């Protein structure tokens, strides 16, 4: 645990008692603060009370009198589409609002670090797609290289639940826009921006607000090194804002769309080959084509970002390559779950938006595509470049018929349920086909989360093999 510093003896409100909220309350208490907790869910309040936490209803008048800060869980809106009533009350009372990420950065470094030979470092990864895989890949490469590393944030453990890092230890954080948007302290040593595409627009008041939330990771504290995907306008803008010139190697540019040139530091992948260039010279390369845990251009982009981050931490190219080759991938992200009679079954339930689903479609040929769910803003037109890879679509979700209408030029079948979709795909599949779950939609019309949707797909596949 990372005890929260700076609130000794103070009353600190905690709103939301899920994983991050409860860990924040525990860390506050460990640092000498007095947490006052609330969650609209009664079961969550009971669980917190069982741990000895005081429950306080912040909707009552004067609830924030004498409160030093309000710590908010990431799923609770603080501005758009409208502030949560408790957050609005705290802001009206002049009480600072923060989250567990902000508490982590203000509390991680201690005087004990003075006795370490090598100070611990924090690598923070954000972006629209690939955050989880990139974070897990960095963590895996470090561990395979014998380095102390912990994985936390939006993946793995809560940031305040990790152990205090030791000599030369590295903390790898995956951070969503919900987390970066509110944190009052953001000071990673290495910050990574994977890519950018529309998502969570209602929560951030539009595309500009969404990008602004991502940008805060680089603007608030200023990392020593920034790894920036430059295949979109936003990434190119961010790299330009952070760089002092074309040769500034504090910014490492990453691409899977083109060869990068110039005197700076760049990592790019073309036709399955990763290349690292510094000062106009190639200094490292990896053949990514045979690495099963990293299929497709989108995973090659993740590999480039992870490679660049690992290089900033002093790892050699061959050491990084060894880590890549032993990386098994993450559940629900281009996860190969079975193969039979020449048919491969891939679970990419995490493809919850059009951009991530397009990347999955481009990674495979001869696809029996299971898609559909709660469609997001912007429609399905962005899928067009990948539809030539689809032999047939099997559409799930409560609005499956409407979703299917948006798949122009693709033979589709309205299945509604996962069981029927998998069954029909298995019946139709031929050797060389890939049965791919890449929904291009949220899961909440039928499932609690994308993990449950992926697990249902795996269960239906295994029941038929």
């Amino acid at each position: 645990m990372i005890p929260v510093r700076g609130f000794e003896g103070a009353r600190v409100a905690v709103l939301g008692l899920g994983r991050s909220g409860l860990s924040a309350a525990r860390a506050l208490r460990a640092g000498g603060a007095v947490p006052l907790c609330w969650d609209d869910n009664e079961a969550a309040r009971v669980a917190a009370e069982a741990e000895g936490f005081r429950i306080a209803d912040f909707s009552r008048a004067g609830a924030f009198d004498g409160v030093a800060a309000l710590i908010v869980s990431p799923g609770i809106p603080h501005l758009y589409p409208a502030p949560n009533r408790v957050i609005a009350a705290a802001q009206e009372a002049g009480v600072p609002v923060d989250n567990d990420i902000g508490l982590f950065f203000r509390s991680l470094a201690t005087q004990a670090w003075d006795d370490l030979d090598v100070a611990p470092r924090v690598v923070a990864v954000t972006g629209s797609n690939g955050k989880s895989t990139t974070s897990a890949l960095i963590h895996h490469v470090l561990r395979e290289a014998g380095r102390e590393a912990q994985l936390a944030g939006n993946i793995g453990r809560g940031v305040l639940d990790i152990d205090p890092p030791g000599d030369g230890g590295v903390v790898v954080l995956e951070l969503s826009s919900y987390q970066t948007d509110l944190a009052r302290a953001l000071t990673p040593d290495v910050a990574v921006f994977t890519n950018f595409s529309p998502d969570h627009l209602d929560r951030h008041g539009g595309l500009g607000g969404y990008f602004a939330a991502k940008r805060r990771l680089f603007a608030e504290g200023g990392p020593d090194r920034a790894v920036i995907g430059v295949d979109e306008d936003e990434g190119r803008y961010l790299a330009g804002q952070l760089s002092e010139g074309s040769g500034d190697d504090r910014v490492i540019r990453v691409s899977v769309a083109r060869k990068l040139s110039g005197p700076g530091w760049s990592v790019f992948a073309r036709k399955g080959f990763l290349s690292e260039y510094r000062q106009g010279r190639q200094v490292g390369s990896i053949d990514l084509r045979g690495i099963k845990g990293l299929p497709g251009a989108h995973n090659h982009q993740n590999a480039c970002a992870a490679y660049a981050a690992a290089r900033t931490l002093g790892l050699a190219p061959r050491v990084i390559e060894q880590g890549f080759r032993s990386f098994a991938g993450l559940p629900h992200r281009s996860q190969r779950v079975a193969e039979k009679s020449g048919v491969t079954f891939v679970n990419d339930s995490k493809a919850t938006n059009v951009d991530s689903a397009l990347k999955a479609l481009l990674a495979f040929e001869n696809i029996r595509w299971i898609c559909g769910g709660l469609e997001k803003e912007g429609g399905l037109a962005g899928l067009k470049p990948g539809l030539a890879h689809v032999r047939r679509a099997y559409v799930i979700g409560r609005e499956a018929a409407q979703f299917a209408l948006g798949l122009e030029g693709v033979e589709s079948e309205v299945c509604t349920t996962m069981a029927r979709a998998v069954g029909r795909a298995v019946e139709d599949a031929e050797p060389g086909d890939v049965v791919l779950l890449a929904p291009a939609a949220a899961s909440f019309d039928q499932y609690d989360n994308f993990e449950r949707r992926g697990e249902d797909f795996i269960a239906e596949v295994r029941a038929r093999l």
Side-chain angles (χ1 to χ4, degrees):
M1 179 184 295
I2 306 295
V4 173
R5 298 186 297 120
F7 292 107
E8 294 82 357
R11 300 164 74 230
V12 179
V14 178
L15 178 63
L17 299 173
R19 186 189 69 163
S20 66
L22 266 181
S23 68
R26 295 176 188 126
L28 283 161
R29 183 167 61 186
V34 179
L36 309 176
C37 301
W38 182 259
D39 192 298
D40 290 341
N41 185 294
E42 183 179 3
R45 299 197 300 270
V46 170
E49 275 191 301
E51 291 194 35
F53 290 113
R54 177 178 168 186
I55 303 300
D57 184 354
F58 301 124
S59 64
R60 60 178 177 77
F64 285 100
D65 292 348
V67 171
L70 170 64
I71 309 305
V72 178
S73 293
I76 302 173
H78 60 276
L79 187 56
Y80 301 114
N84 176 275
R85 57 186 174 79
V86 173
I87 297 175
Q91 292 170 334
E92 182 69 25
V95 173
V97 180
D98 204 347
N99 61 14
D100 62 330
I101 305 301
L103 296 181
F104 168 83
F105 277 111
R106 69 179 287 167
S107 305
L108 181 64
T110 67
Q111 288 185 342
W113 286 20
D114 294 339
D115 298 326
L116 302 178
D117 292 332
V118 180
R121 303 182 75 184
V122 177
V123 179
V125 181
T126 195
S128 296
N129 298 304
K131 298 185 298 295
S132 297
T133 297
T134 301
S135 301
L137 185 55
I138 295 168
H139 175 256
H140 175 79
V141 167
L142 288 166
R143 294 291 295 272
E144 288 293 290
R147 298 279 292 272
E148 177 196 318
Q150 299 181 77
L151 182 63
N154 207 40
I155 186 175
R157 303 161 70 183
V159 293
L160 294 169
D161 283 338
I162 69 169
D163 302 321
D167 202 337
V170 180
V171 179
V172 183
L173 302 180
E174 179 199 339
L175 298 181
S176 71
S177 59
Y178 292 4
Q179 293 169 310
T180 58
D181 198 19
L182 191 58
R184 293 173 66 90
L186 285 168
T187 54
D189 299 282
V190 182
V192 179
F193 181 88
T194 58
N195 50 53
F196 189 80
S197 61
D199 206 356
H200 309 303
L201 301 188
D202 58 336
R203 174 65 181 265
H204 296 294
L207 193 62
Y210 177 49
F211 177 60
K214 298 290 188 186
R215 185 178 179 274
R216 290 191 75 247
L217 180 63
F218 303 84
E220 291 300 304
D224 295 334
R225 281 267 163 68
V227 177
I228 311 291
V230 294
D231 287 340
E232 296 88 28
D233 289 339
E234 291 80 4
R236 288 188 288 273
Y237 169 82
L238 182 58
Q241 286 281 296
L242 295 173
S243 176
E244 294 294 333
S246 59
D248 186 353
D249 69 358
R250 294 174 304 169
V251 177
I252 307 174
R253 290 169 170 82
V254 167
S255 176
V256 290
R258 65 192 189 282
K259 177 180 179 179
L260 300 177
S261 59
W265 193 350
S266 62
V267 180
F268 58 89
R270 297 183 70 201
K271 298 181 179 180
F273 287 88
L274 178 152
S275 297
E276 176 191 6
Y277 274 72
R278 296 189 73 171
Q279 298 179 350
R281 294 175 57 251
Q282 185 171 359
V283 296
S285 65
I286 297 176
D287 183 353
L288 300 171
R289 294 173 301 171
I291 300 178
K292 291 186 176 181
L294 297 169
H298 62 303
N299 274 310
H300 293 175
Q301 183 179 60
N302 299 334
C304 287
Y307 176 97
R311 290 289 278 146
T312 70
L313 299 171
L315 271 62
R318 295 285 76 83
V319 172
I320 299 171
E321 180 176 0
Q322 290 172 9
F324 282 4
R325 294 198 178 281
S326 61
F327 182 65
L330 290 178
H332 314 299
R333 297 161 177 88
S334 296
Q335 177 190 12
R336 293 174 183 258
V337 298
E339 186 172 343
K340 186 175 182 181
S341 302
V343 178
T344 302
F345 296 83
V346 177
N347 166 28
D348 203 338
S349 183
K350 185 61 170 65
T352 59
N353 59 39
V354 164
D355 186 65
S356 55
L358 173 61
K359 289 179 169 62
L361 293 178
L362 292 174
F364 303 99
E365 301 283 349
N366 303 319
I367 297 170
R368 302 288 177 177
W369 180 30
I370 299 176
C371 57
L374 192 62
E375 188 176 339
K376 294 186 176 181
E377 291 182 25
L380 304 176
L383 292 165
K384 187 175 181 179
L387 297 183
H389 294 209
V390 177
R391 299 193 66 181
R392 194 174 197 190
Y394 307 83
V395 187
I396 63 173
R398 293 178 185 172
E399 303 297 329
Q402 183 64 34
F403 194 97
L405 289 175
L407 303 176
E408 282 190 49
V410 175
E411 182 182 347
S412 60
E413 179 176 341
V414 174
C415 296
T416 307
T417 67
M418 185 69 75
R420 178 166 176 77
V422 172
R424 292 291 299 119
V426 169
E427 289 174 12
D428 291 346
E430 301 172 352
D433 285 355
V434 175
V435 176
L436 171 69
L437 170 65
S443 60
F444 305 124
D445 59 333
Q446 292 182 308
Y447 301 93
D448 291 340
N449 48 53
F450 73 84
E451 291 97 339
R452 291 291 299 164
R453 177 171 60 191
E455 290 162 3
D456 192 18
F457 171 75
I458 293 171
E460 292 295 341
V461 168
R462 289 178 177 167
R464 289 166 171 78
L465 299 183

